[in-house]
Amino acid sequence: MQCHHHDAHRCGSCTLLQVAYADQVSDKEAHCRSLVAAPGLTWLPPVTGPESAFRNKAKMVVAGTVDEPTIGILDAAGEGVDLRDCGLHSPGLQAALPVLSSFVTTARLTPYDIAERRGELKHLLVTEAPSGGLMVRLVLRSQEPVTRIRKHLPALQAALPRLCVVSVNLQPEHKAVLEGPDEIVLTPAETLTMRIGDLDLHLRPQSFFQTNTEVATALYRQARTWVDAVAPASLWDLYCGVGGFALHCAAPGRTVTGIEVSAPAVESAGLSARQARLPGVSFVAADATAYALGVSRAPELVIVNPPRRGIGADLATWLEASEVGHVVYSSCNAESLARDLALMPSLRPVEAVLLDMFPQTRHYEVMVLLSR
């Protein structure tokens, strides 16, 4: 992949850009194998996708002026660097960002000036569905510009016919936090439909979804293969988000329960289950660890897909002491995965696979099947 921003030293986000892609994958797998090792562990071939134009999500800092905004990142001096043509973004995102830049000017959305602590628009968060549909979120300091955004929204929808969901996120605090807790949806549609395999997942503005759609599809497919081979009668999907693993692993005669702390994500997962008419699938809004520690009977198989910090000692200790026969652990941080595995010695890794969700960086996803 060639990038003129990288060559001009405007952006250093792609830390592995000068490393051949095959070597990137090989090095990542070697790193992962050094952390996740067990007698008899079988490593499946790494899962890869395109090394460019793979991102379905753009998280862009807005800087500059209302008449000449920059959409991208900030440099060391706090000045905006425009990355509307970033080669990691899907073609749909690359086409949408210039239109959104024009909308900033039309709606008079003054970019937030960090040094001066004034202005309104902090970030543009844009997600593209496999269908080409778009979700646009504008992170603002206050509600002051919302009336202008509503006024000019029809023109934006005409310029971006694939636009499905538009919302405003409020982040009034002056700190390095991408978004705030409050969301105002400005369109009739509140969810973006992400068609993954033969299932529709419904993504709300603050819901998590994997950045790389092609590799995420392979992730769910591999999890379903492992689960179907084990054929458990009962399954939990902890940290289930909008239900990707739970929905893909549903089967006749199998009870599937997804646990997620975000109530809106649980609502989306339930909608997907109803639309797909999946029997025996339910979702609960709860903390994953608290839920596990609070029940009297464990399922036969547990799927965990935690944030970078891992599942932690409490949940790992519970799994070790439980009657759970198999665990599918999907991790974006092999170091926290290794720490958690050390607390579950009776759950032995039997198969593992590296999924290169983030080409051009040192980050990756790894998924492991554990058997007691």
Side-chain angles (χ1 to χ4, degrees):
M1 172 180 163
Q2 191 71 26
C3 176
H4 64 100
H5 297 296
H6 181 273
D7 294 342
H9 306 289
R10 286 190 293 268
C11 177
S13 300
C14 292
T15 56
L16 300 182
L17 195 62
Q18 293 179 318
V19 179
Y21 185 54
D23 292 337
Q24 292 184 31
V25 176
S26 177
D27 291 346
K28 291 179 184 182
E29 186 174 33
H31 178 255
C32 192
R33 283 177 180 246
S34 71
L35 293 168
V36 182
L41 173 58
T42 298
W43 283 87
L44 303 178
V47 175
T48 61
E51 60 179 286
S52 62
F54 62 85
R55 285 189 63 96
N56 57 30
K57 184 183 301 181
K59 300 180 179 181
M60 312 299 275
V61 178
V62 183
T65 67
V66 70
D67 291 309
E68 296 185 1
T70 61
I71 312 293
I73 60 173
L74 299 179
D75 63 17
E79 299 296 324
V81 178
D82 198 276
L83 299 176
R84 282 176 281 182
D85 59 345
C86 172
L88 298 186
H89 293 151
S90 68
L93 291 179
Q94 290 195 40
L97 289 174
V99 178
L100 292 170
S101 178
S102 296
F103 181 74
V104 170
T105 302
T106 300
R108 311 308 293 173
L109 305 178
T110 306
Y112 184 65
D113 187 311
I114 293 177
E116 298 293 331
R117 299 194 178 196
R118 56 183 173 82
E120 281 292 340
L121 181 59
K122 295 183 172 183
H123 300 98
L124 275 174
L125 310 178
V126 191
T127 304
E128 183 182 27
S131 65
L134 294 171
M135 175 188 292
V136 172
R137 302 173 62 207
L138 301 103
V139 181
L140 302 174
R141 190 175 65 164
S142 75
Q143 294 192 49
E144 186 275 328
V146 171
T147 299
R148 296 196 303 280
I149 293 171
R150 290 186 186 276
K151 175 184 176 181
H152 295 285
L153 186 55
L156 178 62
Q157 291 170 313
L160 283 178
R162 298 176 293 116
L163 190 57
C164 300
V165 182
V166 178
S167 69
V168 163
N169 178 273
L170 299 178
Q171 167 51 299
E173 298 185 65
H174 180 78
K175 59 182 182 180
V177 176
L178 187 66
E179 59 187 85
D182 298 322
E183 199 88 18
I184 304 170
V185 180
L186 304 179
T187 50
E190 296 183 356
T191 66
L192 182 67
T193 301
M194 306 292 287
R195 183 74 174 179
I196 305 297
D198 55 357
L199 287 170
D200 285 337
L201 306 182
H202 297 280
L203 190 64
R204 294 177 185 273
Q206 292 183 304
S207 298
F208 168 80
F209 191 78
Q210 297 284 3
T211 299
N212 190 319
T213 303
E214 182 173 329
V215 178
T217 302
L219 178 79
Y220 295 135
R221 186 188 308 119
Q222 181 59 57
R224 179 166 57 191
T225 297
W226 281 342
V227 169
D228 286 347
V230 173
S234 56
L235 178 156
W236 288 354
D237 177 9
L238 302 183
Y239 312 92
C240 72
V242 296
F245 283 107
L247 296 165
H248 279 85
C249 294
R254 181 179 299 157
T255 300
V256 177
T257 305
I259 313 301
E260 166 60 43
V261 72
S262 168
V266 166
E267 185 178 349
S268 293
L271 174 61
S272 296
R274 292 190 298 273
Q275 287 186 344
R277 298 183 179 180
L278 296 174
V281 180
S282 62
F283 296 91
V284 178
D287 174 79
T289 301
Y291 181 86
L293 271 58
V295 300
S296 58
R297 186 176 180 84
E300 295 179 12
L301 186 147
V302 172
I303 299 173
V304 293
N305 182 30
R308 288 190 60 80
R309 64 178 181 271
I311 63 174
D314 289 345
L315 182 53
T317 301
W318 178 87
L319 283 167
E320 172 64 17
S322 74
E323 297 180 354
V324 173
H326 294 83
V327 173
V328 174
Y329 193 136
S330 179
S331 171
C332 61
N333 183 356
E335 294 181 359
S336 62
L337 168 62
R339 290 195 298 269
D340 291 336
L341 293 182
L343 298 173
M344 302 183 289
S346 68
L347 286 162
R348 183 174 60 89
V350 292
E351 282 196 335
V353 61
L354 178 133
L355 303 104
D356 192 22
M357 199 78 70
F358 315 101
Q360 317 306 338
T361 76
R362 298 190 182 279
H363 300 291
Y364 57 81
E365 194 90 7
V366 57
M367 190 162 62
V368 185
L369 173 64
L370 311 176
S371 179
R372 194 175 296 279

